[in-house]
Amino acid sequence: MLNVSILEDDPVQLQQIKDDVEKICDGLKIKVSSKTFSKVSNLKESLPQPSQENVFILDLEINGIKNAGLEFSKKIRAHDRLASLIFITIHNEFLYRTYKYRVSALDFIAKDYSNIYDELRKDIQQIEKQIQANNNKKPFVYKDYSNTIRIDFMNINYFESNSTNSHSAILNTVNNQQRQLNYNLRDIEKMDNRFFRAHRSYLVNLKQIDHVDLRKGIIHFFNGDSCSVSKLHLRHLLKLIK
């Protein structure tokens, strides 16, 4: 989920940007929590914990101070190295590259641009793609007695219930190996939310799905393996893999 903080002292523009962000995220099927601020001091008191899911949309001029947004962005960057910063301003005479290098801004949008909505949409798409790419790099981690095991996320196709032991599950990998884990599917869902419950007996890696046989209710993975998907979860699955 994206956590979007918008700093803008014009109430009409503030609401418009908020509406645009929520409309964009709804169209892209991205969960979003958006908060608005008209004063730097208010945003300062509400800075979220550092996260790659944090997005700050900042007007450069706040309450008549021409570079108030920029100055505060330095504090944001010092607090949160992972966040994305987007500037919106009427002062397009500023050299935007200066700001990009100084605070690693994602974008610099002029308020007189014909369609701010389209620019924001491109930025949000880029942010989401980067988040997904970073998530794919994180290994799946679990405990095997006293040992900590790490498995490449992209080497996992799916987990299936163990029919002989309800307290364990079977991990199926891309290179056709199986491994028993001392966790059931519910435990794994809590450990790592990147996997999708396609069936009461299967937890799948969406990134490894090649296609879905709608008539038979079967998920086919890139390596030729397959598992079932229930009618209850089929529609949601199709939305996620589009």
Side-chain angles (χ1 to χ4, degrees):
M1 181 176 74
L2 295 183
N3 304 308
V4 181
S5 299
I6 306 166
L7 177 63
E8 166 64 67
D9 59 359
D10 184 314
V12 175
Q13 293 182 6
L14 182 61
Q15 186 61 48
Q16 184 60 57
I17 295 172
K18 183 178 189 295
D19 292 344
D20 284 349
V21 167
E22 292 179 351
K23 183 179 179 181
I24 290 166
C25 289
D26 182 61
L28 296 174
K29 308 298 181 187
I30 299 171
K31 292 182 180 180
V32 62
S33 172
S34 58
K35 296 181 180 180
T36 58
F37 304 89
S38 59
K39 296 180 179 179
V40 169
S41 58
N42 293 340
L43 176 53
K44 183 178 181 180
E45 295 172 357
S46 301
L47 287 178
Q49 291 297 312
S51 170
Q52 63 178 343
E53 296 180 340
N54 292 338
V55 181
F56 294 90
I57 302 176
L58 310 170
D59 187 4
L60 283 187
E61 182 175 338
I62 301 295
N63 303 128
I65 303 175
K66 199 170 182 179
N67 63 345
L70 173 63
E71 288 301 320
F72 187 64
S73 73
K74 296 177 184 177
K75 293 181 173 61
I76 293 174
R77 182 56 75 211
H79 167 75
D80 189 347
R81 304 299 302 178
L82 302 174
S84 297
L85 304 182
I86 300 172
F87 291 116
I88 299 181
T89 180
I90 59 172
H91 297 292
N92 52 4
E93 74 272 13
F94 289 153
L95 297 176
Y96 72 94
R97 290 186 182 275
T98 301
Y99 300 115
K100 285 191 174 183
Y101 287 126
R102 287 171 70 180
V103 294
S104 302
L106 173 65
D107 202 359
F108 190 97
I109 305 172
K111 283 186 177 178
D112 59 359
Y113 190 80
S114 59
N115 199 336
I116 292 177
Y117 179 92
D118 287 342
E119 291 297 297
L120 284 175
R121 190 176 190 277
K122 292 176 185 176
D123 292 339
I124 290 173
Q125 282 183 306
Q126 182 177 336
I127 292 167
E128 182 66 11
K129 286 181 181 178
Q130 187 61 51
I131 290 173
Q132 292 300 323
N134 290 340
N135 283 342
N136 293 347
K137 294 176 183 178
K138 295 178 182 177
F140 170 68
V141 181
Y142 69 96
K143 289 282 188 179
D144 184 11
Y145 298 102
S146 60
N147 299 318
T148 299
I149 310 297
R150 292 175 172 81
I151 298 179
D152 186 348
F153 172 71
M154 293 302 290
N155 191 36
I156 298 173
N157 272 345
Y158 63 95
F159 301 89
E160 62 181 303
S161 299
N162 188 348
S163 58
T164 61
N165 184 346
S166 61
H167 298 292
S168 67
I170 305 297
L171 183 156
N172 292 267
T173 69
V174 169
N175 53 3
N176 297 307
Q177 294 182 344
Q178 290 189 323
R179 183 178 300 187
Q180 180 172 313
L181 279 64
N182 295 319
Y183 302 90
N184 59 34
L185 297 186
R186 185 175 297 179
D187 294 331
I188 296 170
E189 282 182 292
K190 293 178 181 178
M191 292 161 53
D192 196 319
N193 62 10
R194 291 175 293 177
F195 301 103
F196 176 76
R197 179 67 77 103
H199 187 282
R200 66 181 182 181
S201 299
Y202 297 103
L203 195 61
V204 304
N205 182 351
L206 297 171
K207 299 298 181 183
Q208 291 298 351
I209 294 176
D210 182 24
H211 66 281
V212 179
D213 188 322
L214 302 180
R215 185 172 61 84
K216 295 182 179 179
I218 297 177
I219 296 171
H220 293 273
F221 298 94
F222 290 115
N223 73 335
D225 203 353
S226 63
C227 72
S228 299
V229 55
S230 69
K231 291 181 179 179
L232 179 65
H233 298 109
L234 183 57
R235 181 176 296 181
H236 190 197
L237 172 66
L238 293 177
K239 287 182 179 179
L240 291 174
I241 64 175
K242 275 188 177 180

